[in-house]
Amino acid sequence: NEACERFSCDAPPDNRGMTKKEWRRVLLKQGLEWSNKEKDMIFEELDFRHDGHITLSDVHIAVEAAAPVRSMEDLRRRWLASGYPSMTAAIRKAEDLSDTDMDARIPYEDFCKCLKTVSVLDASEHQAVFAAICSDRGSNPKVSLEELLAAIATVSPDLLLEDTRARIMKQYGSIDKAYNEIDRDKGGTIESREFSEKAITWLGLSIPE
C-alpha cells in the first residue's frame, strides 16, 4: 500500500531489518514528529519476534491486520501481526485457553469465546469467520477448531512446515544456525538421520511428522 511504499524509500532492506533507533529516524523522515516513547511503543508492538528488529514486511502486516477480519486471509494477517509464529500456534492457544477440544463441535457463542482468546474481538469478525467455515444448515449450527484450522490452511503455507519453522526459530534463533547445529558431521548436507534426531529430541516432532 501507499504508506509502506513511502516507508521503503528510507528503511533498510528486509533482510537486515530496522533497529529501534533506525525506526525513529524513518518516522521522523516521514514527518511524524511523535515522541520517542510513542515511537518505541509502536516498535515493540511490531517486533513480534522479540529480536530487536522490525522489517517493512512487519509494518505491512500490521497495517493490513488493522483492517477488520472478513476472510481467512484477514484472519491469517491478524494472527501474524499479533505475534503468532504459525497458524497452528494460534489454534493451539485458542484450544488451551478456552478449554475446547480441537474436534469438539461447538455453537456460535462458544466459538466466539475461542476467537476472543486469539486477538479476534469484534462481533462482526466472529460472524464473518463462523460463516466462512460453517456448513451446518440447522437451527443450531456448530463448528470446530479443527474446521477452522482446515480453512486457514487453504490460505497458508503447508501448516506442518510453517509450524516446524517456528519451532526451529524458537530453538536456534536463525535458519543458518539451525542448519549448522543439525549438520553434525559438518559435511555440508543434512541427512535424514541427522534431521530426524534433532526434530524428535529438540523440536518435539513426532516420527510421522
Side-chain angles (χ1 to χ4, degrees), residues 187-200:
T189 59
I190 295 177
E191 299 175 3
S192 175
R193 171 187 53 80
E194 292 175 314
F195 179 78
S196 295
E197 179 182 326
K198 294 294 185 182
I200 293 170

Side-chain angles (χ1 to χ4, degrees), residues 53-69:
H53 290 78
I54 61 173
T55 66
L56 279 176
S57 295
D58 298 332
V59 176
H60 190 265
I61 289 171
V63 169
E64 291 194 329
V69 172

Side-chain angles (χ1 to χ4, degrees), residues 33-191:
E33 297 181 357
W34 300 335
S35 68
N36 283 342
K37 182 179 180 180
E38 291 172 314
K39 294 174 184 176
D40 292 352
M41 286 175 63
I42 297 172
F43 182 94
E44 287 161 11
E45 287 292 326
L46 295 173
D47 183 20
F48 61 87
R49 288 179 296 272
H50 307 295
D51 62 0
H53 290 78
I54 61 173
T55 66
L56 279 176
S57 295
D58 298 332
V59 176
H60 190 265
I61 289 171
V63 169
E64 291 194 329
V69 172
R70 296 290 181 261
S71 65
M72 289 299 108
E73 290 89 346
D74 295 338
L75 181 59
R76 175 175 172 78
R77 284 191 285 266
R78 173 69 59 81
W79 281 349
L80 288 173
S82 298
Y84 296 104
S86 68
M87 300 301 97
T88 305
I91 296 285
R92 283 191 188 127
K93 183 174 180 181
E95 180 185 21
D96 292 342
L97 294 184
S98 65
D99 197 25
T100 301
D101 292 334
M102 281 284 289
D103 58 354
R105 295 188 61 74
I106 55 177
Y108 177 73
E109 293 76 13
D110 291 339
F111 184 68
C112 293
K113 292 177 183 177
C114 290
L115 290 179
K116 286 179 180 179
T117 66
V118 283
S119 306
V120 184
L121 306 177
D122 189 80
S124 64
E125 296 176 332
H126 301 161
Q127 293 168 5
V129 175
F130 189 85
I133 69 173
C134 183
S135 59
D136 283 357
R137 293 296 177 263
S139 58
N140 185 31
K142 296 180 179 181
V143 297
S144 68
L145 292 177
E146 202 168 59
E147 289 171 309
L148 178 58
L149 183 61
I152 205 161
T154 65
V155 297
S156 303
D158 181 279
L159 292 186
L160 177 58
L161 292 180
E162 183 181 57
D163 193 46
T164 301
R165 184 185 187 281
R167 296 188 195 194
I168 286 174
M169 294 300 291
K170 182 178 181 180
Q171 178 68 37
Y172 297 102
S174 73
I175 297 298
D176 287 343
K177 184 177 179 182
Y179 190 96
N180 291 332
E181 289 287 337
I182 295 172
D183 182 20
R184 296 184 63 184
D185 61 8
K186 307 305 177 187
T189 59
I190 295 177
E191 299 175 3

